[in-house]
Amino acid sequence: MKRILAILTVVLTISSCSVTDEDISFDPKDLLSGNWTFEYSNNGETVFKRTNTLPNEKYGVSFFRDGKFIERTSGWCGTPPLVFSDLQGTYQLEKTLIKVNIEGFPGNYHWRIISLTNKELVITYDSADQETDLQELMDLFNEIYAMATSESCQDANDWSFTAYGSKACGGPQGYLTYPNSINVNLFLEKVAAYTQKEKEYNIKWDVISTCDLPAQPNGVKCENDLPVLTY
């Protein structure tokens, strides 16, 4: 009996340690369907790795055979602590073009498949008019984010926060912290310009969003050299 138990223990141990890429399920006739987790971006291309499930705290997307689409994201703010949630939507696949429509910003966008295997998906934004507008928004947000994160947080009294963006249903997308040591007037001008451009983008491309408003913070605190909003 002891010998049998020992053999069973070894078998179970080997089985539990032998999970490989081959164990991730996929349909060879529909390689796009499934869960894809973000790996990295390089030269305008974004690389995803196929996974059995989406991780709780990492960007990823899911394509379903019935045309449903899920994007797991923490949004654009990037201010800790990051909270990931799922955006629901639909998609259409036209040869190598993926047309995505989600309930939230950016609403509608196109991905062009560069390569697709059972393990890896490589995409790039398709150069359509809407994607050009979206890229301009992202470039402006990146400028804002670079200014907002240019200093480490040592003293909360040296930091402030402001609302940014425009949800299609009204109200801001969220709140950004920023150090008072930067050119605050220039920073707030860029935030205002971004908010107006996103409002125009929503109207132009008929973007839809949820009507819930983000909680309004009451201050900033420093944690591990990072600014964290308090409520």
Side-chain angles (χ1 to χ4, degrees):
M1 177 62 74
K2 291 183 179 179
R3 183 179 181 182
I4 294 175
L5 289 175
I7 293 174
L8 287 174
T9 300
V10 171
V11 171
L12 289 173
T13 301
I14 294 174
S15 298
S16 64
C17 296
S18 61
V19 177
T20 64
D21 290 338
E22 286 72 22
D23 295 311
I24 300 176
S25 59
F26 68 95
D27 183 351
K29 297 181 180 180
D30 183 11
L31 288 177
L32 185 60
S33 292
N35 303 301
W36 299 93
T37 299
F38 171 80
E39 286 292 297
Y40 62 89
S41 294
N42 185 38
N43 294 326
E45 296 183 356
T46 301
V47 179
F48 292 87
K49 180 180 180 181
R50 188 188 296 276
T51 53
N52 275 326
T53 58
L54 292 180
N56 292 328
E57 298 182 355
K58 191 174 182 180
Y59 181 79
V61 296
S62 296
F63 298 95
F64 298 88
R65 292 184 180 88
D66 61 0
K68 292 181 180 179
F69 174 82
I70 290 178
E71 181 180 32
R72 181 160 295 173
T73 177
S74 62
W76 286 19
C77 181
T79 301
L82 298 180
V83 178
F84 284 79
S85 60
D86 291 346
L87 299 178
Q88 308 287 336
T90 60
Y91 78 96
Q92 290 180 312
L93 178 62
E94 299 178 0
K95 294 183 178 179
T96 62
L97 184 65
I98 307 172
K99 295 183 177 181
V100 176
N101 187 326
I102 58 175
E103 296 182 359
F105 181 78
N108 308 291
Y109 52 88
H110 297 169
W111 283 346
R112 180 69 65 178
I113 298 176
I114 304 301
S115 64
L116 174 62
T117 68
N118 64 312
K119 297 180 180 180
E120 185 179 82
L121 168 65
V122 182
I123 59 94
T124 184
Y125 273 101
D126 190 62
S127 57
D129 288 342
Q130 185 177 1
E131 278 64 46
T132 300
D133 290 348
L134 175 61
Q135 188 61 53
E136 291 179 359
L137 266 178
M138 294 176 67
D139 289 343
L140 181 53
F141 183 86
N142 287 337
E143 292 179 24
I144 294 169
Y145 187 72
M147 294 182 70
T149 58
S150 60
E151 303 285 345
S152 62
C153 187
Q154 304 297 328
D155 185 346
N157 293 319
D158 296 332
W159 287 74
S160 301
F161 65 89
T162 184
Y164 77 95
S166 176
K167 297 185 72 171
C169 200
Q173 287 284 352
Y175 293 86
L176 275 173
T177 59
Y178 62 90
N180 298 326
S181 58
I182 63 174
N183 187 331
V184 173
N185 289 335
L186 177 61
F187 175 77
L188 294 179
E189 286 176 4
K190 288 180 178 290
V191 171
Y194 172 83
T195 298
Q196 180 61 31
K197 282 182 176 293
E198 186 176 5
K199 183 178 180 179
E200 294 170 354
Y201 177 94
N202 293 340
I203 295 173
K204 180 179 180 179
W205 296 108
D206 195 25
V207 175
I208 57 176
S209 72
T210 59
C211 294
D212 56 310
L213 294 177
Q216 184 169 352
N218 55 30
V220 180
K221 65 179 180 179
C222 296
E223 288 186 358
N224 300 320
D225 296 332
L226 295 175
V228 177
L229 292 167
T230 59
Y231 299 87

